Amino acid sequence: MIQAHIPDHVLDDARDRQKTVAPELTEAEARRIARGLREGIDHLPEKEYREQLHERLRAFAAAQDVDLPTPDTRSTFWSYQLADHPQINMEPGEELYSMHMAAAYTEAQNSIVEDTLRYLEGTPGGEALGQLHLWDAEMQDALELDEKAGLALAYDAWGTLSEKYAAKTENEALFFMAELNPGTVAYQTEARQLRQDGKLDIIQFMYPTPAKKYADLAPETQELLASQTVRAQVHTFSYDESDANYTPLTKAGHLDLKQLAALPAPEAQRAAVLEVCARVATMDGPARAADVEMLLEEIKDLRPDHEVTLPSIEDQQWAAELRGHGPDSPSGAPPVAVSTHGQYLPGVTVNARTGPAPLESLTLPTPQTAAASAHDFLPGVTRQAKPIAAPAVGDAPATPSQAPPAPEQSRDTGMGV
């Protein structure tokens, strides 16, 4: 488990960054920027004006440069604030936002070897979008948006850039967070983009797991939840389906810790965790079809009488549409795949006693490739991939949402990941 050593000078730099107040955006400068953004659409009715403004900002963000400076450059992602890191001496009650930690750590690494690491706000695209000051109240006023509409526009634009940033990530993805929160860009956009691109195994968490939350679970389950692979998929936060920030991925990735602790044996707890991973892998699409099959096979072994519930066809279609409109995807989403366990419908259950049969509608990896990509969900345990025969077939940003000071960005410094 990654619990990176963060030197004191990096911590001090992060503190200094957090204390630094950016020059206040003047009303005149806000009007100047807004004039360009509103040009040609400011005469439209309010609803259409806002739609066109969103479209214009998404197009601007999607066109920005977030390419890797070198083929070996690693990428940082961040969410919320630092807490309970065993290798950092923080003052009682001190709050230190992860966006500053990611920036300070990146620049410290790059001072040793240039372009070793990058962070979104430091890319050319991040700097360009930051210059629009979309989080600033003055800019929202100049665009004639109330606070809610202004924040929605900022989330949309930065979420688009974050998705492209994740899609361009090829090497280690360092996540400055203890866990994924479903209300963040990190969960809804960035981790999702990495997973569906087949890059689950490059995600590394820089902070330890929230051990207190897992205290009532079997030791084996705590170890499982501390694995990088599981952390990159599940979340343990309650949610409200009526909340505007809710998405089908929120539901798919939710792990109820109370229900988990009530299960009678470590094997049952492991199966429950893997079931959530199977739901997320299903939402990630064809690139992870082999993972779904292997997870269902292991759940069948662990709990022969358990019926697994996977995402509905509607939820899968939502995810497919995201993939179809992603940063490097052709327009138009592919049809939702059909599993050998039936369509992925929850509400429609899958009997884990029925072993997986060959998928007829997906192009799957060879058995050797599948074995290589089968993630070790529990350290020390290696699953063997079973041969899967299959003919062929091929394969959006989730609404980024979260609340300051870490809507993956705080208003005074631009957007984070």
Side-chain angles (χ1 to χ4, degrees), residues 4 6 15 24 48 81 102 105 136 160 169 178 212 218-219 223 237 239 241 339 401:
I6 300 177
R15 287 187 174 116
E24 186 174 341
E48 189 176 352
Q81 65 188 44
Y105 186 82
D136 198 293
T160 299
T169 296
K212 292 180 181 178
E223 185 179 6
F237 295 84
Y239 60 88
E241 292 194 17
S339 165
S401 53

Side-chain angles (χ1 to χ4, degrees), residues 2-8 11 82 84-90 206 208:
I2 296 294
Q3 292 182 16
H5 173 66
I6 300 177
D8 287 344
L11 183 62
L82 176 66
D84 299 327
H85 195 295
Q87 296 177 333
I88 290 181
N89 295 320
M90 295 179 66
M206 299 293 281

Side-chain angles (χ1 to χ4, degrees), residues 214 217-218 220-227 229-231 233-236 252-257 260-261 263 266-280 295 299 302-303 306 377-378:
Y214 306 151
L217 302 173
E220 299 93 330
T221 307
Q222 294 183 42
E223 185 179 6
L224 176 62
L225 292 174
S227 71
T229 300
V230 172
R231 294 176 75 182
Q233 299 182 80
V234 308
H235 75 85
T236 61
H254 180 241
L255 179 66
D256 190 313
L257 292 178
L260 187 64
L263 293 174
E267 293 79 10
Q269 292 185 3
R270 178 179 176 83
V273 174
L274 297 188
E275 183 171 344
V276 176
C277 292
R279 293 201 296 264
V280 171
L295 287 165
I299 294 167
L302 292 167
R303 300 181 73 185
H306 177 65
F377 286 103
L378 182 60

Side-chain angles (χ1 to χ4, degrees), residues 85-211:
H85 195 295
Q87 296 177 333
I88 290 181
N89 295 320
M90 295 179 66
E91 298 296 328
E94 181 181 12
E95 293 182 347
L96 186 57
Y97 300 132
S98 291
M99 62 179 296
H100 303 302
M101 288 296 297
Y105 186 82
T106 295
E107 296 194 7
Q109 293 292 303
N110 289 342
S111 68
I112 301 171
V113 178
E114 188 176 2
D115 291 331
T116 294
L117 208 54
R118 65 175 186 154
Y119 65 104
L120 178 61
E121 294 82 356
T123 64
E127 291 176 353
L129 190 55
Q131 289 173 4
L132 298 183
H133 301 278
L134 296 178
W135 300 104
D136 198 293
E138 290 287 352
M139 177 54 60
Q140 293 165 10
D141 291 342
L143 291 171
E144 297 186 2
L145 301 173
D146 58 26
E147 182 180 17
K148 182 178 179 180
L151 290 176
L153 179 68
Y155 281 128
D156 198 8
W158 279 100
T160 299
L161 190 68
S162 294
E163 184 178 37
K164 184 175 182 180
Y165 176 83
K168 295 289 186 178
T169 296
E170 295 294 338
N171 304 299
E172 230 177 10
L174 304 182
F175 274 48
F176 281 79
M177 60 199 76
E179 56 185 327
L180 289 171
N181 185 311
T184 64
V185 173
Y187 186 79
Q188 295 289 346
T189 299
E190 294 161 345
R192 172 186 58 78
Q193 183 70 47
L194 291 168
R195 293 193 312 266
Q196 70 186 33
D197 287 347
K199 300 171 186 174
L200 173 63
D201 59 346
I202 73 172
I203 298 176
Q204 303 290 333
F205 285 80
M206 299 293 281
Y207 303 161
T209 56

